[in-house]
Amino acid sequence: MRIVFLIFLFVNFFPLNVSFAENQPLKVSTETLIGAKGDVEIRLTYENISNETLYHVHPMFHFHHSMDMAPMVMKLNPGERKEIINKNHPKLLRVGRYPLAILFKYKTKMKGSWFTQTFMDSFFYEEQLYSAVKGEIETLETGDHSRLRIFIKNPAESFKNIRLMLLLPPELISKSFNQMLGFTIRGGEEKSFEVDVEKTPESLPGDYPVHLMIEYGEMQKHYSGEVKTKLTFNLPWKQSLSWNHAIAFLFLASLIMWSFKKNGWAWRNAKEI
């Protein structure tokens, strides 16, 4: 019973961390202004809400069919805020809903590893339209290689020519889905397919956000929707043990041996008596 109690204490006070997910250090907001001719101005504000300084903070805008790099901030102190005005969004030709994704890369040390944070938003142009096509993502964990099972369903009566965009952080790659994929889905039809995703060699273990944008045009109107999930990549057991856990293991082993010897001696003394 004493050994069980010691193991209980060890598990509660020294839990094994096999996931190194980063907290999101940036508070992000956007404001979108649209001109009479379809010109788009995006005002991005981001603030470091963590307790540590961030380095090489680099936002990248993902529009519905293009990307645009924003200026890099070399150093962002805790509580510091930056504002960016982006006017490079393609001119809007159809009314409807448009997605907006912003991917941040940053470092917590000047020469440390890169981390990422993704911000998703959307805006309407003249009319609030919502996508009839629905999506769902199921994640299958397989170690350093994971698999996404993507479901697309069209509950409407008419067919849709849809375009899918898979947005992955730089630490993940997919050879089977190179960002853009287009196909036709008939009314009431559901399609599913699987996508393999793997880490790059320099990627760290942790949680990585994955976003899927679903878009289509119909009757001179634009419709869009987003599906999000996350993939978790953990260290192998032998690599996940920190120095704290190693010391705790040694301490627990010593307690168990001490308890065993004490109980063993007590049992032998009682037997002799």
Side-chain angles (χ1 to χ4, degrees):
M1 290 297 295
R2 185 174 298 177
I3 294 178
V4 174
F5 176 71
L6 293 175
I7 295 176
F8 172 80
L9 288 179
F10 174 79
V11 171
N12 280 273
F13 288 96
F14 299 97
L16 288 178
N17 294 322
V18 294
S19 178
F20 293 81
E22 283 291 306
N23 293 325
Q24 295 190 340
L26 296 172
K27 180 181 179 181
V28 185
S29 62
T30 58
E31 180 183 5
T32 305
L33 304 176
I34 304 175
K37 296 182 179 180
D39 299 319
V40 180
E41 177 180 297
I42 300 171
R43 297 181 179 179
L44 167 67
T45 303
Y46 60 94
E47 178 185 357
N48 181 4
I49 59 174
S50 70
N51 296 322
E52 59 184 353
T53 301
L54 304 180
Y55 301 92
H56 302 136
V57 182
H58 199 178
M60 180 170 64
F61 291 84
H62 286 258
F63 305 133
H64 60 108
H65 59 265
S66 63
M67 294 179 292
D68 186 61
M69 301 294 292
M72 177 186 290
V73 174
M74 297 301 297
K75 184 179 180 181
L76 192 67
N77 294 316
E80 189 175 0
R81 177 185 300 180
K82 294 292 182 180
E83 295 183 358
I84 295 176
I85 296 179
N86 185 292
K87 299 182 180 181
N88 297 327
H89 192 286
K91 182 176 293 188
L92 303 181
L93 303 177
R94 295 181 175 182
V95 302
R97 183 178 185 270
Y98 291 83
L100 173 63
I102 304 174
L103 178 67
F104 291 86
K105 292 181 62 178
Y106 64 91
K107 294 183 177 182
T108 56
K109 297 180 181 179
M110 183 67 73
K111 296 183 179 180
S113 302
W114 287 102
F115 295 97
T116 59
Q117 179 177 328
T118 304
F119 172 79
M120 290 294 299
D121 201 358
S122 63
F123 59 91
F124 295 97
Y125 175 43
E126 292 188 355
E127 188 176 350
Q128 294 188 6
L129 300 176
Y130 295 92
S131 173
V133 177
K134 306 301 179 182
E136 184 179 345
I137 301 178
E138 177 184 351
T139 61
L140 307 175
E141 308 296 340
T142 56
D144 286 341
H145 294 74
S146 291
R147 179 167 295 176
L148 300 175
R149 184 173 294 160
I150 299 176
F151 300 88
I152 303 296
K153 183 176 182 179
N154 178 17
E157 296 181 356
S158 60
F159 70 89
K160 314 291 184 187
N161 292 315
I162 68 170
R163 179 174 56 189
L164 304 179
M165 180 177 180
L166 184 64
L167 181 60
L168 298 174
E171 296 88 350
L172 303 182
I173 57 174
S174 175
K175 299 178 181 178
S176 58
F177 192 157
N178 189 15
Q179 288 194 335
M180 302 293 296
L181 177 65
F183 56 86
T184 299
I185 182 169
R186 300 181 182 278
E189 185 179 5
E190 180 176 350
K191 292 187 176 182
S192 64
F193 57 95
E194 295 183 352
V195 177
D196 291 324
V197 179
E198 59 185 275
K199 296 193 304 179
T200 59
E202 64 276 6
S203 299
L204 297 176
D207 295 336
Y208 292 94
V210 176
H211 294 83
L212 179 69
M213 298 184 183
I214 306 172
E215 299 180 274
Y216 64 93
E218 188 175 56
M219 303 295 293
Q220 297 300 312
K221 296 182 179 181
H222 184 269
Y223 298 83
S224 70
E226 303 88 36
V227 185
K228 63 180 180 179
T229 186
K230 69 177 181 179
L231 289 175
T232 301
F233 294 91
N234 294 327
L235 278 175
W237 172 266
K238 64 181 181 180
Q239 296 182 15
S240 64
L241 300 179
S242 64
W243 282 108
N244 290 336
H245 290 104
I247 295 173
F249 266 125
L250 292 175
F251 178 71
L252 176 64
S254 300
L255 288 177
I256 292 175
M257 291 186 64
W258 172 80
S259 178
F260 176 78
K261 289 181 179 180
K262 183 177 180 181
N263 293 334
W265 290 334
W267 180 79
R268 285 197 297 270
N269 292 332
K271 185 176 181 181
E272 291 175 357
I273 295 173

